[in-house]
Amino acid sequence: MSRLDENLGGVGFDNLIADSYPPADVFSVQLAAGQGILERGTLLALKDDGTMETIGTETTGKANAVLTDPVDTGDAAEGEAVPGIAYRTGHFNTNRLIVAEGYTITAADREALRVAGILTSEAVEI
């Protein structure tokens, strides 16, 4: 039996979600193998083969999902897709979204996200 004055755990605040509207809805995704560890907040785009990868890499599709939890996709490009969970809708802080190194979220990316049901806002760092 635990004590009432004992801290059993906590939830960290990462400032990824900006607002409760539209509600954050999740769905199952297949992540392309060989991307290494993808962190929570990674902006994903659909590839031609039906898997998703970090926007700004070899992606040919438009950004349309945000990863909910870290996933290790492995280091080798060969292999089967790795399952993950992503937000299909929600309102997110742009400066907390993770993209490929050297890539910047464009106006076209923001529009594609908006059409998919994902809103983005700039958050003030405190």
Side-chain angles (χ1 to χ4, degrees), residues 27-39 44 50-53 66-74 79-87:
F27 71 121
S28 177
V29 295
Q30 293 296 313
L31 301 167
Q35 299 181 79
I37 297 174
L38 300 180
E39 297 295 331
L44 301 171
T51 62
M52 298 189 103
E53 71 178 353
V66 178
L67 196 61
T68 62
D69 294 304
V71 176
D72 186 357
T73 62
E80 294 187 22
V82 178
I85 303 293
Y87 296 107

PDB file of all heavy atoms in Angstrom, residues 27-39 44 50-53 66-74 79-87:
ATOM      1  N   PHE A  27      -3.758   8.051 -34.374  1.00  0.00           N
ATOM      2  CA  PHE A  27      -3.966   6.893 -35.238  1.00  0.00           C
ATOM      3  C   PHE A  27      -2.655   6.137 -35.381  1.00  0.00           C
ATOM      4  O   PHE A  27      -1.596   6.648 -35.051  1.00  0.00           O
ATOM      5  CB  PHE A  27      -4.541   7.296 -36.595  1.00  0.00           C
ATOM      6  CG  PHE A  27      -3.596   8.032 -37.517  1.00  0.00           C
ATOM      7  CD1 PHE A  27      -3.302   7.510 -38.772  1.00  0.00           C
ATOM      8  CD2 PHE A  27      -3.005   9.241 -37.148  1.00  0.00           C
ATOM      9  CE1 PHE A  27      -2.450   8.188 -39.644  1.00  0.00           C
ATOM     10  CE2 PHE A  27      -2.163   9.915 -38.006  1.00  0.00           C
ATOM     11  CZ  PHE A  27      -1.885   9.389 -39.257  1.00  0.00           C
ATOM     12  N   SER A  28      -2.741   4.930 -35.860  1.00  0.00           N
ATOM     13  CA  SER A  28      -1.570   4.070 -36.040  1.00  0.00           C
ATOM     14  C   SER A  28      -0.892   4.387 -37.366  1.00  0.00           C
ATOM     15  O   SER A  28      -1.569   4.584 -38.379  1.00  0.00           O
ATOM     16  CB  SER A  28      -2.017   2.605 -36.026  1.00  0.00           C
ATOM     17  OG  SER A  28      -0.923   1.757 -36.262  1.00  0.00           O
ATOM     18  N   VAL A  29       0.439   4.453 -37.354  1.00  0.00           N
ATOM     19  CA  VAL A  29       1.201   4.719 -38.572  1.00  0.00           C
ATOM     20  C   VAL A  29       2.289   3.669 -38.733  1.00  0.00           C
ATOM     21  O   VAL A  29       2.668   2.996 -37.780  1.00  0.00           O
ATOM     22  CB  VAL A  29       1.840   6.132 -38.549  1.00  0.00           C
ATOM     23  CG1 VAL A  29       0.780   7.211 -38.545  1.00  0.00           C
ATOM     24  CG2 VAL A  29       2.783   6.296 -37.371  1.00  0.00           C
ATOM     25  N   GLN A  30       2.775   3.544 -39.949  1.00  0.00           N
ATOM     26  CA  GLN A  30       3.924   2.689 -40.248  1.00  0.00           C
ATOM     27  C   GLN A  30       5.084   3.612 -40.599  1.00  0.00           C
ATOM     28  O   GLN A  30       5.006   4.373 -41.570  1.00  0.00           O
ATOM     29  CB  GLN A  30       3.613   1.746 -41.410  1.00  0.00           C
ATOM     30  CG  GLN A  30       2.556   0.706 -41.084  1.00  0.00           C
ATOM     31  CD  GLN A  30       3.014  -0.233 -39.987  1.00  0.00           C
ATOM     32  OE1 GLN A  30       4.131  -0.744 -40.006  1.00  0.00           O
ATOM     33  NE2 GLN A  30       2.154  -0.463 -39.011  1.00  0.00           N
ATOM     34  N   LEU A  31       6.161   3.550 -39.808  1.00  0.00           N
ATOM     35  CA  LEU A  31       7.315   4.427 -40.004  1.00  0.00           C
ATOM     36  C   LEU A  31       8.371   3.726 -40.839  1.00  0.00           C
ATOM     37  O   LEU A  31       8.633   2.532 -40.646  1.00  0.00           O
ATOM     38  CB  LEU A  31       7.898   4.819 -38.643  1.00  0.00           C
ATOM     39  CG  LEU A  31       6.907   5.545 -37.720  1.00  0.00           C
ATOM     40  CD1 LEU A  31       7.446   5.605 -36.306  1.00  0.00           C
ATOM     41  CD2 LEU A  31       6.618   6.927 -38.255  1.00  0.00           C
ATOM     42  N   ALA A  32       8.952   4.455 -41.774  1.00  0.00           N
ATOM     43  CA  ALA A  32      10.015   3.895 -42.611  1.00  0.00           C
ATOM     44  C   ALA A  32      11.190   3.485 -41.730  1.00  0.00           C
ATOM     45  O   ALA A  32      11.565   4.207 -40.799  1.00  0.00           O
ATOM     46  CB  ALA A  32      10.457   4.923 -43.651  1.00  0.00           C
ATOM     47  N   ALA A  33      11.760   2.330 -42.021  1.00  0.00           N
ATOM     48  CA  ALA A  33      12.906   1.829 -41.255  1.00  0.00           C
ATOM     49  C   ALA A  33      14.146   2.664 -41.551  1.00  0.00           C
ATOM     50  O   ALA A  33      14.244   3.311 -42.594  1.00  0.00           O
ATOM     51  CB  ALA A  33      13.161   0.365 -41.612  1.00  0.00           C
ATOM     52  N   GLY A  34      15.099   2.662 -40.621  1.00  0.00           N
ATOM     53  CA  GLY A  34      16.394   3.291 -40.845  1.00  0.00           C
ATOM     54  C   GLY A  34      16.487   4.757 -40.497  1.00  0.00           C
ATOM     55  O   GLY A  34      17.441   5.426 -40.866  1.00  0.00           O
ATOM     56  N   GLN A  35      15.533   5.295 -39.766  1.00  0.00           N
ATOM     57  CA  GLN A  35      15.568   6.711 -39.402  1.00  0.00           C
ATOM     58  C   GLN A  35      16.162   6.955 -38.025  1.00  0.00           C
ATOM     59  O   GLN A  35      16.247   8.086 -37.576  1.00  0.00           O
ATOM     60  CB  GLN A  35      14.150   7.298 -39.432  1.00  0.00           C
ATOM     61  CG  GLN A  35      13.490   7.230 -40.790  1.00  0.00           C
ATOM     62  CD  GLN A  35      12.122   7.858 -40.732  1.00  0.00           C
ATOM     63  OE1 GLN A  35      11.998   9.084 -40.754  1.00  0.00           O
ATOM     64  NE2 GLN A  35      11.087   7.040 -40.629  1.00  0.00           N
ATOM     65  N   GLY A  36      16.543   5.895 -37.341  1.00  0.00           N
ATOM     66  CA  GLY A  36      17.052   6.045 -35.988  1.00  0.00           C
ATOM     67  C   GLY A  36      15.907   6.266 -35.017  1.00  0.00           C
ATOM     68  O   GLY A  36      14.780   5.849 -35.248  1.00  0.00           O
ATOM     69  N   ILE A  37      16.189   6.967 -33.933  1.00  0.00           N
ATOM     70  CA  ILE A  37      15.162   7.242 -32.928  1.00  0.00           C
ATOM     71  C   ILE A  37      14.425   8.528 -33.307  1.00  0.00           C
ATOM     72  O   ILE A  37      15.035   9.579 -33.440  1.00  0.00           O
ATOM     73  CB  ILE A  37      15.770   7.367 -31.521  1.00  0.00           C
ATOM     74  CG1 ILE A  37      16.413   6.042 -31.117  1.00  0.00           C
ATOM     75  CG2 ILE A  37      14.703   7.777 -30.514  1.00  0.00           C
ATOM     76  CD1 ILE A  37      17.168   6.085 -29.817  1.00  0.00           C
ATOM     77  N   LEU A  38      13.122   8.406 -33.490  1.00  0.00           N
ATOM     78  CA  LEU A  38      12.278   9.565 -33.775  1.00  0.00           C
ATOM     79  C   LEU A  38      11.651  10.011 -32.465  1.00  0.00           C
ATOM     80  O   LEU A  38      11.053   9.203 -31.747  1.00  0.00           O
ATOM     81  CB  LEU A  38      11.191   9.214 -34.791  1.00  0.00           C
ATOM     82  CG  LEU A  38      11.673   8.732 -36.151  1.00  0.00           C
ATOM     83  CD1 LEU A  38      10.487   8.427 -37.056  1.00  0.00           C
ATOM     84  CD2 LEU A  38      12.589   9.745 -36.789  1.00  0.00           C
ATOM     85  N   GLU A  39      11.771  11.266 -32.137  1.00  0.00           N
ATOM     86  CA  GLU A  39      11.285  11.802 -30.870  1.00  0.00           C
ATOM     87  C   GLU A  39       9.832  12.248 -30.970  1.00  0.00           C
ATOM     88  O   GLU A  39       9.310  12.499 -32.055  1.00  0.00           O
ATOM     89  CB  GLU A  39      12.152  12.986 -30.440  1.00  0.00           C
ATOM     90  CG  GLU A  39      13.607  12.632 -30.176  1.00  0.00           C
ATOM     91  CD  GLU A  39      13.791  11.684 -29.001  1.00  0.00           C
ATOM     92  OE1 GLU A  39      12.964  11.705 -28.061  1.00  0.00           O
ATOM     93  OE2 GLU A  39      14.757  10.915 -29.020  1.00  0.00           O
ATOM     94  N   LEU A  44       5.721  14.266 -39.515  1.00  0.00           N
ATOM     95  CA  LEU A  44       5.789  13.148 -40.454  1.00  0.00           C
ATOM     96  C   LEU A  44       5.087  13.450 -41.762  1.00  0.00           C
ATOM     97  O   LEU A  44       4.120  14.205 -41.804  1.00  0.00           O
ATOM     98  CB  LEU A  44       5.145  11.903 -39.823  1.00  0.00           C
ATOM     99  CG  LEU A  44       5.744  11.407 -38.518  1.00  0.00           C
ATOM    100  CD1 LEU A  44       4.860  10.328 -37.918  1.00  0.00           C
ATOM    101  CD2 LEU A  44       7.161  10.906 -38.739  1.00  0.00           C
ATOM    102  N   GLY A  50       3.728   4.170 -48.685  1.00  0.00           N
ATOM    103  CA  GLY A  50       2.739   4.073 -47.620  1.00  0.00           C
ATOM    104  C   GLY A  50       3.295   4.229 -46.215  1.00  0.00           C
ATOM    105  O   GLY A  50       2.534   4.322 -45.261  1.00  0.00           O
ATOM    106  N   THR A  51       4.623   4.247 -46.074  1.00  0.00           N
ATOM    107  CA  THR A  51       5.220   4.487 -44.768  1.00  0.00           C
ATOM    108  C   THR A  51       5.395   5.990 -44.564  1.00  0.00           C
ATOM    109  O   THR A  51       5.266   6.773 -45.502  1.00  0.00           O
ATOM    110  CB  THR A  51       6.583   3.780 -44.624  1.00  0.00           C
ATOM    111  OG1 THR A  51       7.482   4.309 -45.605  1.00  0.00           O
ATOM    112  CG2 THR A  51       6.452   2.277 -44.796  1.00  0.00           C
ATOM    113  N   MET A  52       5.699   6.365 -43.340  1.00  0.00           N
ATOM    114  CA  MET A  52       5.899   7.780 -43.036  1.00  0.00           C
ATOM    115  C   MET A  52       7.334   8.004 -42.580  1.00  0.00           C
ATOM    116  O   MET A  52       7.956   7.126 -41.989  1.00  0.00           O
ATOM    117  CB  MET A  52       4.932   8.220 -41.945  1.00  0.00           C
ATOM    118  CG  MET A  52       3.474   8.087 -42.366  1.00  0.00           C
ATOM    119  SD  MET A  52       2.364   8.842 -41.209  1.00  0.00           S
ATOM    120  CE  MET A  52       2.003  10.333 -42.101  1.00  0.00           C
ATOM    121  N   GLU A  53       7.841   9.199 -42.891  1.00  0.00           N
ATOM    122  CA  GLU A  53       9.174   9.561 -42.419  1.00  0.00           C
ATOM    123  C   GLU A  53       9.205  11.039 -42.058  1.00  0.00           C
ATOM    124  O   GLU A  53       8.287  11.794 -42.375  1.00  0.00           O
ATOM    125  CB  GLU A  53      10.244   9.219 -43.451  1.00  0.00           C
ATOM    126  CG  GLU A  53      10.271  10.077 -44.676  1.00  0.00           C
ATOM    127  CD  GLU A  53      11.403   9.701 -45.619  1.00  0.00           C
ATOM    128  OE1 GLU A  53      12.243   8.871 -45.276  1.00  0.00           O
ATOM    129  OE2 GLU A  53      11.432  10.262 -46.714  1.00  0.00           O
ATOM    130  N   VAL A  66       1.910  14.115 -36.588  1.00  0.00           N
ATOM    131  CA  VAL A  66       2.914  14.442 -35.585  1.00  0.00           C
ATOM    132  C   VAL A  66       3.064  13.232 -34.665  1.00  0.00           C
ATOM    133  O   VAL A  66       2.074  12.749 -34.110  1.00  0.00           O
ATOM    134  CB  VAL A  66       2.503  15.683 -34.762  1.00  0.00           C
ATOM    135  CG1 VAL A  66       3.526  15.992 -33.687  1.00  0.00           C
ATOM    136  CG2 VAL A  66       2.302  16.897 -35.665  1.00  0.00           C
ATOM    137  N   LEU A  67       4.277  12.742 -34.491  1.00  0.00           N
ATOM    138  CA  LEU A  67       4.537  11.557 -33.678  1.00  0.00           C
ATOM    139  C   LEU A  67       4.224  11.822 -32.208  1.00  0.00           C
ATOM    140  O   LEU A  67       4.607  12.858 -31.667  1.00  0.00           O
ATOM    141  CB  LEU A  67       5.996  11.136 -33.849  1.00  0.00           C
ATOM    142  CG  LEU A  67       6.371   9.727 -33.401  1.00  0.00           C
ATOM    143  CD1 LEU A  67       5.600   8.681 -34.188  1.00  0.00           C
ATOM    144  CD2 LEU A  67       7.867   9.502 -33.581  1.00  0.00           C
ATOM    145  N   THR A  68       3.534  10.875 -31.549  1.00  0.00           N
ATOM    146  CA  THR A  68       3.124  11.062 -30.156  1.00  0.00           C
ATOM    147  C   THR A  68       4.191  10.656 -29.147  1.00  0.00           C
ATOM    148  O   THR A  68       4.285  11.247 -28.080  1.00  0.00           O
ATOM    149  CB  THR A  68       1.861  10.247 -29.825  1.00  0.00           C
ATOM    150  OG1 THR A  68       2.145   8.863 -29.997  1.00  0.00           O
ATOM    151  CG2 THR A  68       0.699  10.656 -30.680  1.00  0.00           C
ATOM    152  N   ASP A  69       4.965   9.625 -29.447  1.00  0.00           N
ATOM    153  CA  ASP A  69       5.962   9.090 -28.518  1.00  0.00           C
ATOM    154  C   ASP A  69       7.222   8.699 -29.272  1.00  0.00           C
ATOM    155  O   ASP A  69       7.161   8.394 -30.470  1.00  0.00           O
ATOM    156  CB  ASP A  69       5.409   7.848 -27.809  1.00  0.00           C
ATOM    157  CG  ASP A  69       4.243   8.165 -26.901  1.00  0.00           C
ATOM    158  OD1 ASP A  69       4.419   9.013 -26.014  1.00  0.00           O
ATOM    159  OD2 ASP A  69       3.168   7.564 -27.086  1.00  0.00           O
ATOM    160  N   PRO A  70       8.371   8.656 -28.577  1.00  0.00           N
ATOM    161  CA  PRO A  70       9.601   8.247 -29.258  1.00  0.00           C
ATOM    162  C   PRO A  70       9.499   6.818 -29.810  1.00  0.00           C
ATOM    163  O   PRO A  70       8.888   5.951 -29.186  1.00  0.00           O
ATOM    164  CB  PRO A  70      10.664   8.302 -28.154  1.00  0.00           C
ATOM    165  CG  PRO A  70      10.092   9.201 -27.111  1.00  0.00           C
ATOM    166  CD  PRO A  70       8.606   9.025 -27.186  1.00  0.00           C
ATOM    167  N   VAL A  71      10.085   6.605 -30.991  1.00  0.00           N
ATOM    168  CA  VAL A  71      10.099   5.287 -31.628  1.00  0.00           C
ATOM    169  C   VAL A  71      11.481   5.064 -32.229  1.00  0.00           C
ATOM    170  O   VAL A  71      12.011   5.937 -32.910  1.00  0.00           O
ATOM    171  CB  VAL A  71       9.039   5.183 -32.758  1.00  0.00           C
ATOM    172  CG1 VAL A  71       9.134   3.851 -33.479  1.00  0.00           C
ATOM    173  CG2 VAL A  71       7.646   5.399 -32.219  1.00  0.00           C
ATOM    174  N   ASP A  72      12.054   3.880 -31.981  1.00  0.00           N
ATOM    175  CA  ASP A  72      13.343   3.525 -32.582  1.00  0.00           C
ATOM    176  C   ASP A  72      13.071   2.769 -33.876  1.00  0.00           C
ATOM    177  O   ASP A  72      12.559   1.659 -33.856  1.00  0.00           O
ATOM    178  CB  ASP A  72      14.162   2.670 -31.622  1.00  0.00           C
ATOM    179  CG  ASP A  72      15.562   2.389 -32.122  1.00  0.00           C
ATOM    180  OD1 ASP A  72      15.906   2.798 -33.253  1.00  0.00           O
ATOM    181  OD2 ASP A  72      16.334   1.759 -31.376  1.00  0.00           O
ATOM    182  N   THR A  73      13.409   3.386 -35.012  1.00  0.00           N
ATOM    183  CA  THR A  73      13.173   2.750 -36.313  1.00  0.00           C
ATOM    184  C   THR A  73      14.403   1.997 -36.799  1.00  0.00           C
ATOM    185  O   THR A  73      14.404   1.463 -37.898  1.00  0.00           O
ATOM    186  CB  THR A  73      12.772   3.797 -37.367  1.00  0.00           C
ATOM    187  OG1 THR A  73      13.841   4.720 -37.533  1.00  0.00           O
ATOM    188  CG2 THR A  73      11.504   4.516 -36.958  1.00  0.00           C
ATOM    189  N   GLY A  74      15.473   1.984 -36.012  1.00  0.00           N
ATOM    190  CA  GLY A  74      16.699   1.290 -36.395  1.00  0.00           C
ATOM    191  C   GLY A  74      17.592   2.163 -37.248  1.00  0.00           C
ATOM    192  O   GLY A  74      17.208   3.254 -37.680  1.00  0.00           O
ATOM    193  N   GLY A  79      14.701  -3.282 -44.040  1.00  0.00           N
ATOM    194  CA  GLY A  79      13.881  -3.816 -42.962  1.00  0.00           C
ATOM    195  C   GLY A  79      12.434  -3.418 -43.121  1.00  0.00           C
ATOM    196  O   GLY A  79      12.061  -2.628 -43.975  1.00  0.00           O
ATOM    197  N   GLU A  80      11.636  -4.019 -42.255  1.00  0.00           N
ATOM    198  CA  GLU A  80      10.212  -3.762 -42.305  1.00  0.00           C
ATOM    199  C   GLU A  80       9.877  -2.449 -41.621  1.00  0.00           C
ATOM    200  O   GLU A  80      10.616  -1.966 -40.778  1.00  0.00           O
ATOM    201  CB  GLU A  80       9.474  -4.909 -41.623  1.00  0.00           C
ATOM    202  CG  GLU A  80       9.608  -6.221 -42.370  1.00  0.00           C
ATOM    203  CD  GLU A  80       8.731  -7.299 -41.755  1.00  0.00           C
ATOM    204  OE1 GLU A  80       7.754  -6.963 -41.060  1.00  0.00           O
ATOM    205  OE2 GLU A  80       9.038  -8.467 -41.988  1.00  0.00           O
ATOM    206  N   ALA A  81       8.753  -1.908 -41.984  1.00  0.00           N
ATOM    207  CA  ALA A  81       8.282  -0.677 -41.363  1.00  0.00           C
ATOM    208  C   ALA A  81       8.051  -0.910 -39.875  1.00  0.00           C
ATOM    209  O   ALA A  81       7.755  -2.013 -39.443  1.00  0.00           O
ATOM    210  CB  ALA A  81       6.996  -0.225 -42.036  1.00  0.00           C
ATOM    211  N   VAL A  82       8.194   0.147 -39.108  1.00  0.00           N
ATOM    212  CA  VAL A  82       8.055   0.087 -37.659  1.00  0.00           C
ATOM    213  C   VAL A  82       6.740   0.764 -37.272  1.00  0.00           C
ATOM    214  O   VAL A  82       6.480   1.891 -37.707  1.00  0.00           O
ATOM    215  CB  VAL A  82       9.248   0.800 -36.979  1.00  0.00           C
ATOM    216  CG1 VAL A  82       9.103   0.788 -35.477  1.00  0.00           C
ATOM    217  CG2 VAL A  82      10.563   0.180 -37.426  1.00  0.00           C
ATOM    218  N   PRO A  83       5.910   0.102 -36.459  1.00  0.00           N
ATOM    219  CA  PRO A  83       4.642   0.721 -36.072  1.00  0.00           C
ATOM    220  C   PRO A  83       4.851   1.873 -35.089  1.00  0.00           C
ATOM    221  O   PRO A  83       5.791   1.873 -34.299  1.00  0.00           O
ATOM    222  CB  PRO A  83       3.861  -0.427 -35.427  1.00  0.00           C
ATOM    223  CG  PRO A  83       4.906  -1.386 -34.963  1.00  0.00           C
ATOM    224  CD  PRO A  83       6.056  -1.247 -35.918  1.00  0.00           C
ATOM    225  N   GLY A  84       3.976   2.850 -35.144  1.00  0.00           N
ATOM    226  CA  GLY A  84       4.017   3.980 -34.227  1.00  0.00           C
ATOM    227  C   GLY A  84       2.631   4.592 -34.106  1.00  0.00           C
ATOM    228  O   GLY A  84       1.704   4.217 -34.824  1.00  0.00           O
ATOM    229  N   ILE A  85       2.515   5.554 -33.204  1.00  0.00           N
ATOM    230  CA  ILE A  85       1.258   6.277 -33.005  1.00  0.00           C
ATOM    231  C   ILE A  85       1.527   7.750 -33.268  1.00  0.00           C
ATOM    232  O   ILE A  85       2.520   8.307 -32.797  1.00  0.00           O
ATOM    233  CB  ILE A  85       0.717   6.088 -31.572  1.00  0.00           C
ATOM    234  CG1 ILE A  85       0.521   4.614 -31.247  1.00  0.00           C
ATOM    235  CG2 ILE A  85      -0.574   6.868 -31.366  1.00  0.00           C
ATOM    236  CD1 ILE A  85      -0.575   3.935 -32.033  1.00  0.00           C
ATOM    237  N   ALA A  86       0.638   8.400 -34.019  1.00  0.00           N
ATOM    238  CA  ALA A  86       0.809   9.810 -34.360  1.00  0.00           C
ATOM    239  C   ALA A  86      -0.512  10.555 -34.202  1.00  0.00           C
ATOM    240  O   ALA A  86      -1.586   9.953 -34.241  1.00  0.00           O
ATOM    241  CB  ALA A  86       1.309   9.947 -35.798  1.00  0.00           C
ATOM    242  N   TYR A  87      -0.389  11.857 -34.009  1.00  0.00           N
ATOM    243  CA  TYR A  87      -1.574  12.711 -33.994  1.00  0.00           C
ATOM    244  C   TYR A  87      -1.997  12.978 -35.436  1.00  0.00           C
ATOM    245  O   TYR A  87      -1.182  13.374 -36.254  1.00  0.00           O
ATOM    246  CB  TYR A  87      -1.268  14.052 -33.323  1.00  0.00           C
ATOM    247  CG  TYR A  87      -0.892  13.962 -31.871  1.00  0.00           C
ATOM    248  CD1 TYR A  87       0.414  14.160 -31.464  1.00  0.00           C
ATOM    249  CD2 TYR A  87      -1.866  13.701 -30.900  1.00  0.00           C
ATOM    250  CE1 TYR A  87       0.756  14.096 -30.124  1.00  0.00           C
ATOM    251  CE2 TYR A  87      -1.520  13.629 -29.559  1.00  0.00           C
ATOM    252  CZ  TYR A  87      -0.213  13.835 -29.174  1.00  0.00           C
ATOM    253  OH  TYR A  87       0.135  13.768 -27.852  1.00  0.00           O
TER     254      TYR A  87
END
